[in-house]
Amino acid sequence: QVQLVESGGGLVQAGGSLTLSCVTSGSSFSINSMGWYRQAPGKQRELVAAITGTGIINYADTVKGRFTISSDNAKNTVILQMNSLKPEDTAVYYCHARVTYPLRATIDYWGQGTQVTVSS
């Protein structure tokens, strides 16, 4: 079973920075992509950033230029560096991984979420 554990959330003032980390446990799978989604109160979950196993990166327009996603494939870890944070970034951030097992279809896994709060 795959488990995703997020860390690094917290409270920060506008203009500050936070770094989120997601570690994926398990074995005998390959990672197609890993990324971060967020969900603010009363809103739908949205993509923040994602990175494929080959290093292709996609950012939401709202965070482009401020956030940086990176991965350590050897440790099955994805990092989200968030700079110039805005109150609009306040949300629960969820780590996501899409993996493939031998002779099995791809499967999506989600972390439990970590709270990011940006004060004005």
Side-chain angles (χ1 to χ4, degrees):
Q1 183 177 353
V2 174
Q3 183 174 197
L4 280 63
V5 180
E6 305 108 330
S7 63
L11 174 64
V12 65
Q13 293 183 346
S17 299
L18 285 173
T19 302
L20 304 183
S21 177
C22 176
V23 180
T24 303
S25 65
S27 62
S28 300
F29 62 85
S30 61
I31 297 177
N32 300 114
S33 66
M34 294 189 69
W36 290 92
Y37 291 70
R38 67 187 182 187
Q39 188 167 22
K43 298 185 180 298
Q44 294 184 335
R45 188 173 300 184
E46 64 177 357
L47 172 70
V48 177
I51 182 169
T52 70
T54 56
I56 300 173
I57 296 174
N58 185 35
Y59 293 103
D61 289 339
T62 52
V63 307
K64 196 172 300 181
R66 299 187 297 120
F67 292 7
T68 302
I69 190 170
S70 61
S71 64
D72 184 343
N73 291 334
K75 298 181 178 180
N76 292 333
T77 300
V78 63
I79 304 294
L80 184 67
Q81 177 65 52
M82 304 185 295
N83 299 319
S84 302
L85 283 162
K86 305 175 180 179
E88 306 92 90
D89 296 317
T90 296
V92 177
Y93 284 68
Y94 296 91
C95 182
H96 166 262
R98 175 167 290 176
V99 308
T100 300
Y101 293 90
L103 304 179
R104 296 184 63 182
T106 57
I107 301 175
D108 293 302
Y109 294 94
W110 295 89
Q112 293 186 2
T114 184
Q115 177 70 48
V116 172
T117 302
V118 184
S119 62
S120 60

